[in-house]
Amino acid sequence: MNAEQQYIDLFSQAEAMICQHSTEVLNAPRATAFADFERLGFPTRKQEKYKYTDVSKFFEPDYGLNLNRLDIPVNPYEVFKCDVPNMSTSLYFVVNDAFYNKALPTSHLPEGVIFGSLKEMAEKHPELVKKYYGKLADTSKDGVTAFNTAFAQDGVLLYVPKNVIVERPIQLVNILRGDVNFLVNRRVLIVLEDGAQARMLVCDHAMDNVNFLATQVIEVFVGENAVFDLYELEETHTSTVRISSLYVKQEANSNVLLNGMTLYNGTTRNTTEVLLAGEGAEINLCGMAIEDKNQHVDNNTSIDHSVPNCTSNELFKYVLDDQSVGAFSGLVLVRPDAQHTSSQQTNRNLCATREAHMYTQPQLEIYADDVKCSHGATVGQLDETALFYMRQRGIPQREARLLLMFAFVNEVIDTIRLDALKDRLHLLVEKRFRGELNKCQGCAICK
């Protein structure tokens, strides 16, 4: 039985159960998504977009799914003391793919702001969720997005009304918990109306040493003059596979910062697609991966400049050790009407061993003639001259290597617009390079 067939059979047998434990708004696109999944199947290396990661093979094993929505015996507020020092976040949890609502933070969000279970909020605010859910995540074009839409039963909703500023950062911790090999399908919907502002930190962790496969679809709508920061930190273990798709649409004069950081993982495939739909919009898209052993991180990005006078800045850096594999493919598309576009794309990669492999494919497609665009990619090893210079001044070789690697990724960390988070990540990255952060330890960001 191929990977697709077992899930086609499962959906056909359990569709009623899946819908029963979800809600009407999430159920509405389910049948279409399933038909798209039947047609597309899981992506393989034969597809250009997935040529560096064979996604289909990760769905072949037999995983457990919690389609009947049984309670998971864990109180994350007791197990995870997850709060970045001096940042004072509003802290929420998702256990596998269900929003944890049995205990919620005492901090109050501004009036009109909605944050909570996507299923529950779709029942309370059906027109709001219906207006946005599934509108960016096109199931007809991607098999994993179609699969996620067909099976997702809950998730998270963040809604910020017009001109409302959420001063306190929102922190969402995704916990993987299971006694058997487990598959989860997470969904996140984020909507900022015109003039709204918010910052969100999402942390991925795994509690148990079983094989986890997590699919995730995030849709982000950012209105005119709105400002939004999204930071993602992955720190799981080597038996975890994460396949994430992030879709963003920005209106005029909006400003968005996306920063995805992989500190420890098994296999990670991140897709990020940004549509600049209003003049004056600016996107800052950043990423960092630190890998060793046989870890694998693949980032595939697309920035669509569809209107004039928009700006995009893209920076991704990888540090690869042992037999790890990294991949980056970034497309910047400048459409014919998108005059006065400013775009810069940079991918820098450091291979600490000859066995590590990095694949990079920066791409520019420009169909306008009055633009300022550049891109560049490098793959190299540690600077031997710099190492020699540091050793001549009494710095041990291992310490010199650590200092050079830390300086290499520092540029990505410094894009963070939260000082407390920036300081904490400097410490975590140093611990990671020293081998002190080699497995999920709850929420390491707060320890």
Side-chain angles (χ1 to χ4, degrees):
M1 180 184 297
N2 60 31
E4 288 83 5
Q5 192 59 50
Q6 63 175 322
Y7 293 106
I8 291 171
D9 294 344
L10 176 63
F11 186 88
S12 300
Q13 298 164 8
E15 182 179 4
M17 179 194 299
I18 294 171
C19 293
Q20 177 187 349
H21 292 284
S22 189
T23 188
E24 183 178 346
V25 177
L26 275 65
N27 291 336
R30 207 178 293 280
T32 300
F34 177 65
D36 288 333
F37 171 66
E38 284 187 294
R39 174 176 58 85
L40 295 169
F42 293 118
T44 68
R45 289 183 184 271
K46 294 180 180 179
Q47 296 173 240
E48 177 70 19
K49 187 176 176 181
Y50 286 90
K51 66 180 180 179
Y52 301 121
T53 306
D54 186 4
V55 168
S56 63
K57 73 176 184 179
F58 297 112
F59 288 88
E60 292 174 358
D62 185 18
Y63 293 96
L65 288 89
N66 189 12
L67 301 181
N68 207 25
R69 314 314 284 173
L70 301 176
D71 286 338
I72 304 297
V74 60
N75 182 347
Y77 285 94
E78 294 179 354
V79 177
F80 286 72
K81 305 302 179 185
C82 198
D83 192 14
V84 178
N86 304 318
M87 198 164 91
S88 186
T89 62
S90 297
L91 176 62
Y92 301 87
F93 290 91
V94 167
V95 179
N96 291 333
D97 48 18
F99 184 80
Y100 189 84
N101 58 6
K102 294 182 179 179
L104 295 173
T106 55
S107 59
H108 295 290
L109 296 171
E111 184 177 355
V113 174
I114 300 172
F115 192 93
S117 162
L118 182 59
K119 173 189 172 184
E120 292 182 7
M121 296 307 164
E123 293 171 348
K124 294 179 181 178
H125 310 279
E127 292 305 316
L128 171 64
V129 177
K130 183 179 179 181
K131 181 179 178 181
Y132 295 102
Y133 182 74
K135 298 302 186 289
L136 291 180
D138 189 347
T139 61
S140 68
K141 295 181 179 179
D142 184 82
V144 176
T145 298
F147 175 85
N148 178 281
T149 305
F151 281 91
Q153 296 169 283
D154 193 10
V156 174
L157 170 68
L158 168 62
Y159 170 77
V160 186
K162 185 175 181 180
N163 296 325
V164 172
I165 298 176
V166 183
E167 296 285 355
R168 184 191 296 264
I170 295 171
Q171 187 174 5
L172 178 67
V173 179
N174 293 317
I175 300 175
L176 294 173
R177 171 78 176 91
D179 298 322
V180 298
N181 296 341
F182 213 73
L183 167 61
V184 305
N185 297 291
R186 297 192 296 252
R187 199 78 186 208
V188 181
L189 177 60
I190 299 169
V191 180
L192 274 72
E193 298 285 7
D194 297 350
Q197 296 184 27
R199 295 166 295 180
M200 188 170 175
L201 167 64
V202 181
C203 304
D204 283 9
H205 298 288
M207 287 185 63
D208 301 290
N209 290 319
V210 300
N211 295 321
F212 288 109
L213 171 56
T215 75
Q216 174 176 274
V217 174
I218 304 176
E219 297 176 282
V220 181
F221 297 83
V222 185
E224 290 188 17
N225 300 298
V227 179
F228 181 61
D229 293 5
L230 177 61
Y231 306 103
E232 291 190 273
L233 177 67
E234 183 181 10
E235 199 258 316
T236 54
H237 58 57
T238 54
S239 298
T240 299
V241 177
R242 164 191 154 116
I243 304 171
S244 176
S245 299
L246 169 60
Y247 302 95
V248 181
K249 182 180 181 182
Q250 294 182 232
E251 302 299 342
N253 301 308
S254 60
N255 186 291
V256 172
L257 170 61
L258 307 174
N259 194 326
M261 296 157 284
T262 302
L263 288 187
Y264 206 84
N265 73 315
T267 297
T268 298
R269 159 66 193 217
N270 296 320
T271 301
T272 304
E273 296 186 5
V274 179
L275 172 62
L276 301 175
E279 288 195 42
E282 178 177 350
I283 175 68
N284 294 281
L285 175 56
C286 308
M288 173 184 73
I290 301 173
E291 305 175 56
D292 54 19
K293 302 180 177 65
N294 293 301
Q295 293 166 331
H296 181 108
V297 176
D298 178 0
N299 281 290
N300 185 285
T301 71
S302 170
I303 300 176
D304 185 346
H305 287 261
S306 65
V307 296
N309 301 303
C310 291
T311 302
S312 64
N313 299 295
E314 189 170 3
L315 174 65
F316 278 78
K317 289 195 172 187
Y318 291 65
V319 177
L320 310 177
D321 205 346
D322 299 331
Q323 294 82 41
S324 59
V325 176
F328 170 81
S329 178
L331 170 65
V332 176
L333 172 63
V334 182
R335 297 189 180 273
D337 293 333
Q339 303 293 349
H340 309 295
T341 286
S342 176
S343 176
Q344 181 175 353
Q345 181 191 85
T346 304
N347 174 225
R348 300 279 185 259
N349 309 287
L350 187 62
C351 293
T353 66
R354 294 187 179 277
E355 290 75 28
H357 288 83
M358 180 68 203
Y359 304 93
T360 180
Q361 187 180 16
Q363 304 167 75
L364 277 177
E365 289 188 24
I366 303 174
Y367 301 99
D369 54 16
D370 187 5
V371 300
K372 183 179 179 181
C373 299
S374 66
H375 68 174
T378 61
V379 179
Q381 295 181 321
L382 289 171
D383 188 336
E384 293 296 334
T385 302
L387 277 174
F388 177 78
Y389 179 87
M390 295 170 76
R391 291 187 67 190
Q392 286 292 95
R393 278 145 185 80
I395 301 175
Q397 182 172 353
R398 182 175 183 274
E399 191 70 19
R401 286 170 56 87
L402 291 173
L403 289 171
L404 288 176
M405 289 190 291
F406 184 77
F408 180 77
V409 300
N410 197 50
E411 186 180 1
V412 176
I413 300 174
D414 283 344
T415 65
I416 295 172
R417 299 190 286 209
L418 285 170
D419 289 340
L421 177 59
K422 185 188 302 184
D423 293 343
R424 195 62 179 168
L425 275 166
H426 279 134
L427 176 61
L428 286 179
V429 168
E430 181 180 351
K431 291 177 67 176
R432 177 68 174 92
F433 283 137
R434 293 185 184 279
E436 300 170 9
L437 196 67
N438 59 359
K439 64 178 181 178
C440 181
Q441 301 170 1
C443 186
I445 199 168
C446 65
K447 292 187 178 182

